[in-house]
Amino acid sequence: MKLITAALLAALAAPSIASPYFRPLDISHPQVSAGAIWSTSQLNQSVGVTDLAIITHSPADGSIIPGSWRSVMPPEDWVPLQLGAGGSFTGNAVINAGTSLNVAPQVAALVLRGVSASSSPWLVAVKSAFTGASKTGLSFAAGPTWYAAPVVNGTMLPVDKWQGRFGIFTGAAWKF
């Protein structure tokens, strides 16, 4: 909770800085993600959700990754705060709040590093697919999240009965 509060305060102060590290929601270019939250306690409590990024960070806004490491680890691209809603496979409605990291640049860097010296037609095609993937606006995101079920079996529960739990969000993210 302290991390979310600190990120929110930094984002609210960000408009006064020339190049902020965090950016608040941009309605004209929202970042949306869709995927699953995997329960850390029971797999059958996993849910599907769609999230909206409230606070974002892009590599264009700077990086804490040293320049000498960037051939192995690309600059961070993450969402410190995303909010969303969805449902479980048992028919319950859920709400969630969490964070996610765009892991596509890291995966692409590892793949490209492994296939860069090859002249095999198949590996050249793989290299082409991974170098062009960043231009589509589509990425793969993952991160910790908290979720709760305010509606169970069609009945709205009182807030003290929501049974919040932690899980790991994994899914696709789009920047429009």
Side-chain angles (χ1 to χ4, degrees), residues 35-37 46-50 85-89 94:
I37 298 175
S46 300
V47 297
V49 294
T50 300
S88 71
F89 299 109
V94 297

Side-chain angles (χ1 to χ4, degrees), residues 48-59:
V49 294
T50 300
D51 290 347
L52 178 64
I54 305 300
I55 301 171
T56 63
H57 169 73
S58 167

Side-chain angles (χ1 to χ4, degrees), residues 68-130:
S68 60
W69 294 9
R70 297 216 180 129
S71 64
V72 179
M73 182 182 300
E76 68 278 9
D77 184 4
W78 66 301
V79 176
L81 179 60
Q82 61 189 29
L83 302 175
S88 71
F89 299 109
T90 59
N92 302 334
V94 297
I95 57 172
N96 67 292
T99 183
S100 66
L101 173 69
N102 177 3
V103 295
Q106 286 78 8
V107 171
L110 288 172
V111 169
L112 291 173
R113 189 176 173 108
V115 301
S116 63
S118 177
S119 60
S120 161
W122 183 78
L123 291 177
V124 169
V126 168
K127 181 178 178 181
S128 174
F130 274 91

